[in-house]
Amino acid sequence: MAVFRVGRTKDYITMSNRHFKNKNWSLKAKGLLSQMLSLPEEWDFTLKGLAHINKENIDAIRTAIWELEKEGYVVRRQVRKPNGKMGETEYTIFEIPQK
């Protein structure tokens, strides 16, 4: 049997492993949630921003976000500008699903 060891470095985070245990999720969704949880709050959480730091294109990021939304780990809200027009989309990422 193969043995895998993890070499720890100073640049790592601690997060819930709940999402890793869900067998119904794609590996892409698990990885994207883990990556988003590791980024600072002020980071550019847009589809374009996430695609910029990954190999996948915006459409692939979008499908992973939909999967995370369906499970309650990502909540999307459309922000309105003061003049009433539609503004940016705001994403809130959670370690524990919001149902």
Side-chain angles (χ1 to χ4, degrees), residues 22-70:
N22 190 330
K23 292 182 181 182
N24 297 321
W25 282 28
S26 69
L27 188 57
K28 178 172 58 175
K30 291 176 184 180
L32 185 61
L33 179 61
S34 300
Q35 183 180 49
M36 289 190 301
L37 290 171
S38 76
L39 294 169
E41 285 188 33
E42 65 276 358
W43 198 81
D44 178 22
F45 285 99
T46 61
L47 298 176
K48 185 177 180 181
L50 291 168
H52 181 73
I53 62 170
N54 289 290
K55 181 179 177 181
E56 285 71 23
N57 61 26
I58 289 176
D59 292 332
I61 300 295
R62 182 180 292 115
T63 59
I65 293 289
W66 287 341
E67 192 174 345
L68 295 172
E69 281 184 281
K70 180 181 170 188

